Amino acid sequence: MKEMGIRFILMVNKQGQTRLAQYYEWLTLEERRALEGEIVRKCLARNEQQCSFVEHRNYKIVYRRYASLFFLVGVENDENELAILEFIHLLVETMDRHFGNVCELDIMFHLEKAHFMLEEMVMNGSIVETSKANILSPIQLMEKAS
Amino acid sequence: MSGPSLMDSLFQRSLEDLIKGLRQQLIGEQAFISKSLEEIRNEIKSTDLSTKSTALLKVSYLSNLHFHDMSFAAFPALEVLSSPRFSHKKIAYHAISLSFHDSTPVLLLITNHLRKDLNSTNEFVVRLSLQCLSRIANVDLARDLTPELFTLLSSNKLYVRKRAIDVVLRVFEKYPDSVRVCFKCLVENLENSDPQILSAVVGVFSELVCKDPRSYLPLAPEFYKILVDSKSNWVSIKVLKIFSKLAPLEPSLSEYESSVRFAVGKVREFLVDEDPNLKYLGLQALRIVAEKHLWAVSENKEVVIKSLSDADPNIKIELLRLVMAMILGSILSTCSRNLYEIIVDFDWYVSLLGEMSRIPHCQMGDEIENQLIDIGLRVKDVRPELVRIARDLLIDPALLGNSFLHGVLSAATWASGEYVDFSRNPLELMEALLQPRTSLLPSSIRAIYIQSAFKVLVFCLHTCFMRGESIAPSASLDNLPAGVSAYASYESFDDFSVENGADATVVHGQTHEAMMWKYKRAQNLLGFVDLTKPEVLNSSIQEKKDSEGKGVETSKIIKLMHYAFSKELGSVSLSAQVNVSVPYGLMLKENLSDLEMICGDIEPSSSNSFSFGNPNEEKDGLSFSSLQINEDSEQPHESTSLLAVHRKRHGLYYLPSGKSEIISNDYPPANDPTKTDHSKPRPVVLKLDEVNEKPVAMKQPDPRDNSLLGAVRDVLFGSEDIPPTSSQSNLSNSSKRKGKEKQHTDPRVESKESAVGDGNSSSRRRKTIVKVKREDIEVQGRKMTRKEKTLFRKKKGTVVVGINHDKEPRSL
């Protein structure tokens, strides 16, 4: 199967607990557990001066820390790293606008909303929407409808 | 365990309660989770849809974050899905997207739900179902829902259309036939003015282009317009990605030199920046550039060295890789300068080349390949060593997966086929050439493999017949049909049928010609095997030492084949054509239109019956016309069983996956006293060409020159009224050139005698020799299949001399 640009998106706190996991390829539960363990260990051990790109197996991971939460995105080797960093920032800004000063708890208690937001932005492993207004309006409308 | 009050609760706990409860657990988290799971299992069986959906929500949460299996919730999810309430549908689709995959048993049942929801008037429902489809689509779903998707692509609602476009890519992948239905719509959307739609469509194309760039070349003007007009960075990035795939195919699209300069300038800015991200990327970019443009690195030397002391280990690794690539490159270029004048011990050098190709991340594959072949041709004495190195490379199945090494492997194969008489164990070579993992190689390389296998086989048979033994060949002959028919059978056929039938857009990247070659060669080999096998086996049974009766014919065939293969074809010099005087009475017409009158009614025979033997072997006198070769329709799983057998036999070569990357530092040292014999004189290096030649410069592409064909045309026919030569068909059809090379040709060559123009390539029926005049002729990304039976020889500084031979099969 052809490789997707983005393979997975994870949000992990400083203690290593996963707060959100979105996979764009199927992995069994065991594989996910192992993968998340490895990656989290690698990324959390790095300090501020090191660059945000980590090579892992045959793909790479772009990550950034926002307050107590690490955002990790696993991408194919030929993906544009700086674009992914921008994407992570966009994600945070979007959640911020929706939840109002988003923090880890917001994500924990409104996980499906976070998933929805992500689904608006990324489809099939590629970034499809980058305008915050366009991302949030369907979500707000849907909430009114249901 | 939480307080007892929860257990007494009559109301179902919501997700919020669950989470809160979880957070309150300090040590007993696992127990709490198992208890909750039990509750969920009970709740999910309830008939009330709301209860079910809450349970579903909870289990999705647990599964996603705590890795608990939720397959028991699959069917209930479908039940919730059928609810008319939007909130239920939301939850159900969420659960399904998270947990369904190709082997979920109830996946089949979802088709109808999806279809209903895709056709719904509520655009949010449509959105949900599209979202779900993009996550879980498999072949069946893609096929069944293509019509609905097609309707949605032209929907009025902007939002829906956008989502549909996004899903389309995944559906295409899973079910390529949907391309036919949806593609036109997609292209129409390219002209849509809405930025959202535009960015969606561009996104889809940027992924499609990666697979098969050539088919999308006609759309380049539209993409360019979008690039110029778009204000969004993201869209620009995607369009640039498209162009980066298209550019190598259409040189007019890029101005190479100046953009490289500009890029290097930017890279320099990166390297001096404080941000470690930029430094890392700068180094990476420099490494990619360094292969062809060493000047870029030398300009930035100090900055690069400074990175060595950087705190980030990633940056250090990148730097080391860069340095390694540079070292390899300079080694190769220095050693090959001026016909290898500095090398005394070629055995050592050849083994060095072999080692180099094994280094991980080695990007010098093309250069190594060129040198291997070059040395093999010029230096007779090193051929045994060359064959040994080649054998080492061919045996290792791990190398087959590395796409950088394809060139090197093809050189190794050619060398081992050509000089098989130096090999110590030809049967092992045969096994290596036919191993199942060779299916990973592109067709053009596999064609070379097949041809070499042919040569090895002939050699083996010949030696055995000479010695009167008859046991060994039968073993290899048994393996051969399995190995070779795996090449020639279903895969080739499938490729052909898809090419002929459907759109070429979503099909494999391999060129038609390459597959054609592979196919043809395989047929040849199979034919030979079919012919000789019965007699060989018979003689092994009856142990006939004399060659009487049927045995005579077979041994004659084998002898002749061996003779044909063992003749070393010298390379043809530039001035060869000049020396051949035109025989009296022969009129070289510029086009063969007359021939058309005579032969126009002859149809080329069907592809099933290939003539055996190449036109160069007319001396044989034997014609094996119209060999009917049965196409086995091999099942795909045959190749995996072959692989298993091969693994068993050659276990030690299949290392466990996940090899760590080790940069090997153990090159055999130069002038190693234990290896070299100082008293051995330096082997003779053949010049192969009497004409003065300029040393070939490093590869530099010239984008102005469109193709070798155009250049040849210009050169040979300076005046416009002369029709183009057949050289274009020669060079494009029967050979391809690797890499980008400057071609220098003999200045004395005159054009008046040069070409026999065949205006009509399809009616060609004879050979033509074409010269190329002195000019800097660039070739862009064309590959040359190296077959000794075609008289294309490429050597440094010499010209390409083409012998055209027929593309259509004909019976002799």
Side-chain angles (χ1 to χ4, degrees):
Chain A
M1 175 167 144
K2 183 196 144 276
E3 303 93 46
M4 306 289 137
I6 298 181
R7 290 196 179 204
F8 56 83
I9 301 178
L10 299 173
M11 295 184 200
V12 182
N13 74 1
K14 281 199 288 192
Q15 281 79 43
Q17 294 170 305
T18 312
R19 293 303 182 202
L20 180 145
Q22 181 91 305
Y23 285 86
Y24 295 98
E25 53 176 358
W26 174 254
L27 293 177
T28 66
L29 289 172
E30 271 315 307
E31 287 173 344
R32 290 189 197 188
R33 204 196 292 255
L35 179 79
E36 286 178 26
E38 275 181 53
I39 294 176
V40 162
R41 248 180 300 124
K42 261 193 186 174
C43 296
L44 266 58
R46 294 166 72 80
N47 63 26
E48 288 294 317
Q49 277 73 42
Q50 293 175 321
C51 67
S52 305
F53 319 123
V54 178
E55 284 184 36
H56 181 83
R57 303 217 182 155
N58 58 341
Y59 48 89
K60 54 189 174 196
I61 305 190
V62 181
Y63 74 94
R64 184 168 268 177
R65 185 170 83 86
Y66 288 84
S68 65
L69 210 55
F70 280 84
F71 288 73
L72 300 104
V73 181
V75 294
E76 285 303 315
N77 269 322
D78 54 359
E79 188 69 36
N80 183 338
E81 295 95 334
L82 292 177
I84 300 290
L85 272 180
E86 282 298 310
F87 163 72
I88 294 178
H89 194 70
L90 178 70
L91 179 59
V92 173
E93 280 186 343
T94 314
M95 288 199 297
D96 198 50
R97 198 191 280 196
H98 185 76
F99 291 113
N101 278 330
V102 67
C103 65
E104 195 182 329
L105 282 177
D106 287 317
I107 300 178
M108 282 174 65
F109 280 99
H110 301 283
L111 189 59
E112 68 287 0
K113 285 215 192 105
H115 270 282
F116 265 27
M117 233 176 290
L118 215 43
E119 283 178 0
E120 286 290 326
M121 296 169 75
V122 181
M123 204 161 185
N124 211 27
S126 338
I127 302 172
V128 293
E129 184 56 68
T130 52
S131 145
K132 289 194 273 282
N134 289 336
I135 297 170
L136 291 176
S137 62
I139 295 181
Q140 283 151 2
L141 284 173
M142 266 195 298
E143 284 182 7
K144 281 199 207 137
S146 58
Chain B
M1 246 302 288
S2 304
S5 59
L6 282 170
M7 284 176 69
D8 295 335
S9 165
L10 292 170
F11 302 112
Q12 184 193 30
R13 281 189 295 168
S14 70
L15 179 63
E16 205 166 312
D17 299 331
L18 178 70
I19 300 174
K20 282 195 194 138
L22 207 50
R23 274 167 65 76
Q24 281 162 4
Q25 298 303 309
L26 291 172
I27 14 171
E29 200 176 81
Q30 274 308 315
F32 181 79
I33 292 182
S34 351
K35 187 111 195 352
S36 316
L37 272 176
E38 269 184 53
E39 284 175 16
I40 292 170
R41 275 180 205 263
N42 285 332
E43 287 162 10
I44 217 165
K45 291 182 203 147
S46 140
T47 45
D48 175 30
L49 283 180
S50 297
T51 323
K52 249 208 245 277
S53 63
T54 315
L56 203 53
L57 194 58
K58 284 194 280 187
V59 79
S60 311
Y61 179 89
L62 282 178
S63 167
N64 193 233
L65 299 184
H66 298 274
F67 310 110
H68 284 279
D69 181 44
M70 62 181 279
S71 47
F72 67 88
F75 192 71
L78 285 178
E79 292 176 330
V80 177
L81 192 55
S82 52
S83 154
R85 274 184 63 179
F86 183 71
S87 53
H88 290 170
K89 276 200 199 287
K90 219 165 71 156
I91 294 173
Y93 273 123
H94 180 60
I96 291 174
S97 303
L98 284 180
S99 63
F100 273 40
H101 55 98
D102 280 354
S103 46
T104 305
V106 296
L107 193 58
L108 311 161
L109 300 175
I110 208 179
T111 318
N112 274 327
H113 283 114
L114 276 175
R115 184 173 291 137
K116 208 163 47 107
D117 286 334
L118 280 174
N119 287 325
S120 153
T121 46
N122 181 343
E123 66 176 281
F124 296 116
V125 173
V126 176
R127 177 263 183 194
L128 281 181
S129 45
L130 279 174
Q131 197 66 261
C132 183
L133 186 60
S134 83
R135 296 285 288 276
I136 64 168
N138 65 358
V139 183
D140 296 319
L141 277 175
R143 185 184 53 228
D144 295 334
L145 295 172
T146 300
E148 273 76 30
L149 198 57
F150 178 63
T151 337
L152 290 173
L153 273 177
S154 19
S155 142
N156 290 329
K157 301 206 189 99
L158 191 69
Y159 184 68
V160 170
R161 201 197 276 207
K162 181 179 174 319
R163 289 280 125 182
I165 294 174
D166 298 328
V167 178
V168 125
L169 180 62
R170 168 128 186 181
V171 169
F172 275 3
E173 262 169 49
K174 293 288 179 175
Y175 181 58
D177 270 356
S178 58
V179 173
R180 265 182 274 176
V181 177
C182 302
F183 196 70
K184 207 154 110 5
C185 229
L186 211 58
V187 176
E188 279 165 12
N189 275 321
L190 257 182
E191 276 129 45
N192 195 307
S193 47
D194 187 281
Q196 282 193 51
I197 302 272
L198 207 54
S199 77
V201 178
V202 165
V204 172
F205 274 111
S206 72
E207 295 299 323
L208 286 176
V209 154
C210 292
K211 291 211 287 193
D212 186 19
R214 199 164 270 281
S215 339
Y216 301 100
L217 215 44
L219 292 170
E222 273 97 26
F223 290 136
Y224 188 71
K225 197 160 78 75
I226 297 175
L227 181 62
V228 169
D229 292 340
S230 94
K231 302 198 185 67
S232 153
N233 277 338
W234 295 95
V235 176
S236 312
I237 290 179
K238 286 188 194 162
V239 178
L240 279 176
K241 197 165 155 196
I242 297 180
F243 273 119
S244 75
K245 298 285 171 184
L246 293 178
L249 303 173
E250 183 59 60
S252 58
L253 284 180
S254 60
E255 272 192 7
Y256 197 75
E257 279 302 323
S258 50
S259 44
V260 172
R261 281 224 164 259
F262 183 67
V264 174
K266 284 282 166 201
V267 169
R268 193 191 170 78
E269 282 175 36
F270 274 19
L271 285 172
V272 298
D273 197 294
E274 285 296 318
D275 187 349
N277 288 343
L278 293 178
K279 272 197 242 175
Y280 179 83
L281 291 176
L283 279 176
Q284 231 184 24
L286 210 52
R287 177 161 63 93
I288 296 174
V289 162
E291 288 168 48
K292 306 226 164 86
H293 304 271
L294 283 168
W295 52 266
V297 186
S298 40
E299 270 181 18
N300 296 316
K301 248 194 319 220
E302 311 92 37
V303 186
V304 168
I305 302 295
K306 217 162 24 112
S307 326
L308 250 182
S309 46
D310 196 292
D312 189 351
N314 273 7
I315 291 186
K316 288 190 212 162
I317 292 180
E318 265 313 301
L319 178 67
L320 286 175
R321 282 200 201 133
L322 169 66
V323 170
M324 183 184 72
M326 288 168 52
I327 292 178
L328 285 183
S330 61
I331 290 178
L332 286 172
S333 60
T334 355
C335 289
S336 62
R337 218 168 285 171
N338 216 352
L339 295 184
Y340 311 99
E341 84 186 324
I342 65 173
I343 299 197
V344 177
D345 185 357
F346 275 93
D347 287 346
W348 162 78
Y349 187 62
V350 167
S351 62
L352 177 66
L353 286 176
E355 290 277 346
M356 260 197 245
S357 43
R358 281 178 182 277
I359 295 175
H361 302 286
C362 171
Q363 315 260 356
M364 296 284 149
D366 285 349
E367 184 62 22
I368 294 180
E369 175 203 356
N370 292 347
Q371 294 203 4
L372 279 173
I373 295 178
D374 202 39
I375 294 181
L377 284 169
R378 290 184 197 256
V379 186
K380 278 203 164 71
D381 298 336
V382 83
R383 283 174 191 171
E385 182 66 18
L386 186 60
V387 172
R388 194 183 69 78
I389 302 291
R391 169 222 172 250
D392 286 341
L393 285 172
L394 289 172
I395 279 190
D396 189 351
L399 295 181
L400 287 165
N402 185 344
S403 59
F404 290 125
L405 289 183
H406 285 164
V408 179
L409 285 175
S410 73
T413 312
W414 176 80
S416 45
E418 180 80 350
Y419 309 122
V420 66
D421 33 346
F422 292 114
S423 124
R424 264 175 256 150
N425 187 351
L427 284 178
E428 180 188 47
L429 208 52
M430 181 70 102
E431 286 249 9
L433 285 173
L434 291 176
Q435 59 178 299
R437 264 180 70 112
T438 50
S439 56
L440 292 170
L441 297 169
S443 298
S444 50
I445 314 256
R446 288 174 75 186
I448 305 180
Y449 266 68
I450 295 179
Q451 193 72 353
S452 290
F454 201 161
K455 290 182 215 169
V456 175
L457 172 66
V458 165
F459 175 74
C460 292
L461 286 175
H462 180 79
T463 359
C464 291
F465 263 99
M466 287 293 100
R467 291 190 218 149
E469 302 158 11
S470 39
I471 312 163
S474 54
S476 59
L477 276 179
D478 279 333
N479 293 336
L480 256 188
V484 179
S485 40
Y487 280 106
S489 60
Y490 75 95
E491 194 189 282
S492 322
F493 248 7
D494 278 352
D495 292 346
F496 282 157
S497 61
V498 176
E499 281 260 15
N500 294 331
D503 284 302
T505 49
V506 203
V507 166
H508 329 269
Q510 298 175 356
T511 60
H512 189 77
E513 313 154 23
M515 289 193 287
M516 194 73 181
W517 268 117
K518 177 186 80 170
Y519 193 57
K520 249 182 140 160
R521 296 240 163 80
Q523 298 289 26
N524 282 348
L525 184 45
L526 278 177
F528 180 74
V529 168
D530 281 346
L531 206 65
T532 54
K533 190 169 176 182
E535 282 79 20
V536 169
L537 288 178
N538 275 341
S539 58
S540 74
I541 295 170
Q542 301 161 18
E543 293 192 1
K544 266 205 281 207
K545 292 248 167 49
D546 54 335
S547 27
E548 288 185 21
K550 278 203 208 147
V552 182
E553 250 199 53
T554 315
S555 67
K556 212 161 74 164
I557 299 172
I558 295 178
K559 249 198 240 155
L560 283 161
M561 286 306 300
H562 179 78
Y563 177 66
F565 278 137
S566 60
K567 267 298 207 217
E568 173 158 341
L569 283 174
S571 26
V572 182
S573 116
L574 300 158
S575 41
Q577 184 67 63
V578 179
N579 296 335
V580 175
S581 54
V582 181
Y584 177 73
L586 175 65
M587 291 197 291
L588 296 173
K589 287 232 177 77
E590 271 144 13
N591 58 38
L592 291 177
S593 49
D594 297 357
L595 204 55
E596 179 78 336
M597 284 189 306
I598 310 171
C599 301
D601 52 351
I602 298 178
E603 294 288 325
S605 46
S606 81
S607 56
N608 268 336
S609 60
F610 274 72
S611 70
F612 184 79
N614 299 312
N616 307 308
E617 288 155 29
E618 289 157 322
K619 53 194 173 211
D620 283 358
L622 286 170
S623 58
F624 306 100
S625 49
S626 41
L627 278 172
Q628 287 294 341
I629 295 165
N630 297 324
E631 309 304 333
D632 317 39
S633 46
E634 302 273 354
Q635 302 303 321
H637 53 253
E638 166 123 5
S639 54
T640 47
S641 62
L642 283 177
L643 188 59
V645 169
H646 194 261
R647 260 183 215 254
K648 264 196 243 143
R649 257 193 273 162
H650 303 274
L652 70 102
Y653 288 106
Y654 283 92
L655 297 173
S657 58
K659 290 192 274 190
S660 52
E661 299 172 351
I662 312 170
I663 301 177
S664 122
N665 276 328
D666 38 294
Y667 293 123
N671 300 326
D672 184 0
T674 56
K675 278 195 173 178
T676 61
D677 176 17
H678 282 288
S679 60
K680 197 166 76 167
R682 179 176 186 260
V684 175
V685 180
L686 295 177
K687 279 220 168 40
L688 290 174
D689 191 73
E690 288 81 30
V691 180
N692 292 334
E693 56 198 38
K694 256 179 25 187
V696 178
M698 287 298 284
K699 305 173 192 177
Q700 265 170 31
D702 180 1
R704 289 185 305 273
D705 216 317
N706 237 339
S707 58
L708 182 57
L709 325 172
V712 168
R713 220 180 297 153
D714 292 344
V715 158
L716 291 171
F717 299 100
S719 55
E720 287 68 21
D721 47 352
I722 307 175
T725 84
S726 67
S727 61
Q728 73 203 71
S729 351
N730 282 0
L731 295 166
S732 65
N733 285 340
S734 49
S735 75
K736 300 167 241 165
R737 154 150 319 160
K738 289 200 208 302
K740 305 171 183 175
E741 286 227 6
K742 269 202 165 103
Q743 283 285 304
H744 296 260
T745 73
D746 185 357
R748 288 179 289 148
V749 163
E750 284 139 359
S751 53
K752 70 169 157 76
E753 295 200 17
S754 52
V756 180
D758 283 355
N760 195 339
S761 62
S762 62
S763 59
R764 285 182 273 128
R765 287 284 181 263
R766 56 193 175 126
K767 305 176 209 171
T768 39
I769 302 182
V770 171
K771 298 190 301 262
V772 177
K773 205 174 168 189
R774 184 205 180 94
E775 200 91 328
D776 291 351
I777 298 172
E778 320 295 341
V779 188
Q780 297 279 348
R782 291 171 164 275
K783 284 180 168 264
M784 174 178 278
T785 54
R786 187 166 300 285
K787 298 320 311 142
E788 86 292 2
K789 289 304 173 201
T790 73
L791 290 183
F792 276 96
R793 294 277 174 139
K794 175 190 69 161
K795 279 163 283 306
K796 286 203 183 31
T798 61
V799 78
V800 175
V801 176
I803 292 259
N804 156 40
H805 61 84
D806 295 343
K807 290 313 289 179
E808 287 93 29
R810 58 182 169 133
S811 38
L812 290 167

